[in-house]
Amino acid sequence: MKLRVDGLSVGFRLPGAVVHAVTDVRFELLAGRCLALVGESGCGKSVMAHALLGLLPANATVTGHAWLDLRANASGGAAGDSGDGGSLDLVAAPERVLARKVRGRLIGLIPQSPAAHLTPVRTARSQLAETLRELGRTETPDELAERAGLRPRDLDRYPHQLSGGMAQRVANALALAGDPPLILADEPTTGLDRPLVDATMAELRRLCDEGRAVLVITHDLRAAEQVADDIAVMYAGRVVELAEARSFFAGPRHPYAKGLLDALPSRRFVPIPGQPPELTRLPDGCAFQPRCPRATSECAEQPIMSGVACHHA
């Protein structure tokens, strides 16, 4: 299985304005690897993930491609809809294909704040059972729960009776119900204390080591360092640096990426000055230039992305 995102852009039409939430994003994600998409809140990370699943509101315009190569996936039933025998363009796929062949079966979503996404008046067991039934799986809720680190008796609780860690494991179980080759984890550590963050990242790493491709969206760089093979840094809707995790944490090349690491308490603990631009009024050239200590007149032109999008990397 391989995911290849090529020139993906997302805009939201508003009265008198367009929000340029994602602009010309390109990356590849292979089976058995984890890509962490990092950046400040509001930079477009979650929008990009929801675009892959067709979960955007009606005022969204999506262009570009997101090819899901199924030739390495034995259960890749959606390949026939692509016309080439192996790849499905998630952007061009109709809703019926996304709903019946992609969501849950080829791509599992672990949502932000899992407890808020569970039905409050139904037990975890009933929600797992319904998901398995809809996906046509023969596995039982207890078997699925065991894979996600839950005890069978935990399934008889309602969402308000679940701890943060238990709710996270239920969300993991729901994402795994269809045995998808690709997992999207959208801010999976939000609201968790550090031990639960560590446990969640260890679980995602285990899924990756089993052969799944994992895309983690997070603003927690420490969590990203625990799990990622590769790092993609987003700023104002663009990927500005794409690197192997080890080299990124040893020495990022983009000034914004360096600023993110310098802001960590374990490092310099120095915040990046200024504020991100409004996505309805992006500046010409590099969007980071008003905050960048290296900015020159060259930065009035958009830099070409080649591992890093910066004239002064």
Side-chain angles (χ1 to χ4, degrees):
M1 197 290 302
K2 179 171 74 173
L3 172 67
R4 179 167 60 88
V5 175
D6 186 8
L8 182 66
S9 297
V10 180
F12 295 100
R13 301 179 304 277
L14 300 177
V18 176
V19 177
H20 300 283
V22 176
T23 303
D24 197 27
V25 167
R26 302 170 189 269
F27 64 83
E28 286 189 353
L29 176 58
L30 303 178
R33 291 188 72 83
C34 174
L35 173 66
L37 191 61
V38 304
E40 293 168 292
S41 296
C43 70
K45 305 185 300 295
S46 294
V47 171
M48 194 216 68
H50 291 172
L52 299 179
L53 288 166
L55 296 176
L56 296 175
N59 68 330
T61 299
V62 184
T63 58
H65 304 280
W67 298 103
L68 193 62
D69 189 337
L70 308 172
R71 284 169 289 193
N73 176 30
S75 62
D81 296 277
S82 63
D84 69 358
S87 293
L88 172 70
D89 187 357
L90 299 172
V91 174
E95 170 60 22
R96 62 178 177 81
V97 172
L98 294 172
R100 303 304 302 174
K101 297 185 177 181
V102 174
R103 299 181 196 130
R105 292 174 171 84
L106 297 177
I107 304 177
L109 175 65
I110 299 175
Q112 185 175 353
S113 303
H117 285 78
L118 297 172
T119 304
V121 296
R122 297 176 58 192
T123 64
R125 180 183 301 280
S126 69
Q127 295 181 62
L128 286 175
E130 179 184 40
T131 300
L132 289 166
R133 185 169 60 252
E134 287 296 318
L135 293 173
R137 306 290 294 185
T138 58
E139 196 172 12
T140 68
D142 285 1
E143 291 170 334
L144 184 58
E146 184 177 356
R147 288 170 58 198
L150 285 164
R151 299 165 298 183
R153 66 175 180 270
D154 295 334
L155 299 184
D156 296 317
R157 301 185 182 189
Y158 291 88
H160 72 275
Q161 297 173 319
L162 300 173
S163 67
M166 290 170 62
Q168 183 66 57
R169 290 187 180 95
V170 172
N172 292 351
L174 288 167
L176 291 172
D179 199 23
L182 172 60
I183 299 291
L184 299 185
D186 185 9
E187 298 285 5
T189 62
T190 297
L192 301 184
D193 58 24
R194 183 50 57 180
L196 286 177
V197 169
D198 295 342
T200 299
M201 291 299 102
E203 175 64 16
L204 291 176
R205 186 66 247 178
R206 184 185 68 80
L207 296 177
C208 194
D209 292 340
E210 288 177 353
R212 290 180 173 84
V214 178
L215 176 61
V216 178
I217 295 159
T218 183
H219 61 270
D220 186 338
L221 287 168
R222 179 177 165 184
E225 189 173 13
Q226 291 176 254
V227 71
D229 297 295
D230 304 287
I231 300 288
V233 182
M234 282 192 79
Y235 183 75
R238 289 184 180 271
V239 172
V240 297
E241 183 165 354
L242 183 60
E244 288 192 351
R246 183 177 300 178
S247 63
F248 172 80
F249 285 103
R253 299 178 62 200
H254 195 282
Y256 173 66
K258 182 179 184 302
L260 287 178
L261 288 181
D262 285 345
L264 292 175
S266 59
R267 300 209 179 193
R268 294 179 58 203
F269 204 28
V270 177
I272 301 173
Q275 297 292 328
E278 294 183 24
L279 296 180
T280 56
R281 296 189 298 175
L282 291 174
D284 294 332
C286 176
F288 188 61
Q289 62 171 307
R291 307 172 70 186
C292 182
R294 303 183 202 170
T296 67
S297 58
E298 273 189 283
C299 303
E301 294 186 10
Q302 182 66 44
I304 296 173
M305 175 64 178
S306 180
V308 58
C310 181
H311 293 293
H312 309 292

